[in-house]
Amino acid sequence: MRRKAIAMNLRACPNSKWEKQLACLVDEKRFGCVYEPIASLTTGECLGWDALFRCPGRHYFQDVGHIFQAAERAGRIVELETQYHLLAISRAASNVAFRAGKLVLNA
């Protein structure tokens, strides 16, 4: 159901609007990530970190799902996911707090 709503949203807008926004996000790497701890329910120990895609600022896309669907539609999904994963890994690697545990990459 949600995927259908996203597809309808992209069809309802002129291609140039979402394509320009997507190009800006991908070409200029105007996205980031935040990290959420993954904790053991029994001990409370931090087992790892979940890297979540974020796109700060104002843009056409209403949520992350729209961005990834637009990238898929435009043939740029691999490029976007690769850039995001490299960013998430490099930021985590440079922060000593993330070195304990695992890093989960979402897209």
Side-chain angles (χ1 to χ4, degrees):
M1 181 75 150
R2 179 162 164 70
R3 191 157 180 88
K4 185 176 179 182
I6 293 170
M8 289 173 56
N9 182 304
L10 287 178
R11 273 190 242 114
C13 71
N15 281 356
S16 62
K17 187 172 185 176
W18 67 263
E19 286 174 340
K20 286 179 185 175
Q21 283 285 314
L22 178 66
C24 181
L25 290 173
V26 176
D27 295 342
E28 298 177 20
K29 297 180 175 103
R30 290 185 175 227
F31 55 85
C33 61
V34 295
Y35 300 92
E36 182 174 74
I38 301 170
S40 166
L41 294 176
T42 55
T43 66
E45 174 189 9
C46 181
L47 303 174
W49 301 90
D50 193 5
L52 306 171
F53 184 93
R54 292 293 181 263
C55 194
R58 297 177 53 87
H59 50 82
Y60 172 76
F61 303 102
Q62 295 175 3
D63 65 31
V64 173
H66 290 156
I67 296 168
F68 282 91
Q69 185 184 16
E72 188 172 5
R73 183 174 171 188
R76 299 190 75 178
I77 189 70
V78 172
E79 182 182 6
L80 176 62
E81 286 183 349
T82 301
Q83 287 179 2
Y84 159 63
H85 290 158
L86 289 173
L87 174 72
I89 292 166
S90 67
R91 285 190 180 168
S94 67
N95 189 327
V96 72
F98 296 120
R99 292 191 184 146
K102 299 182 189 306
L103 180 63
V104 178
L105 302 173
N106 291 311

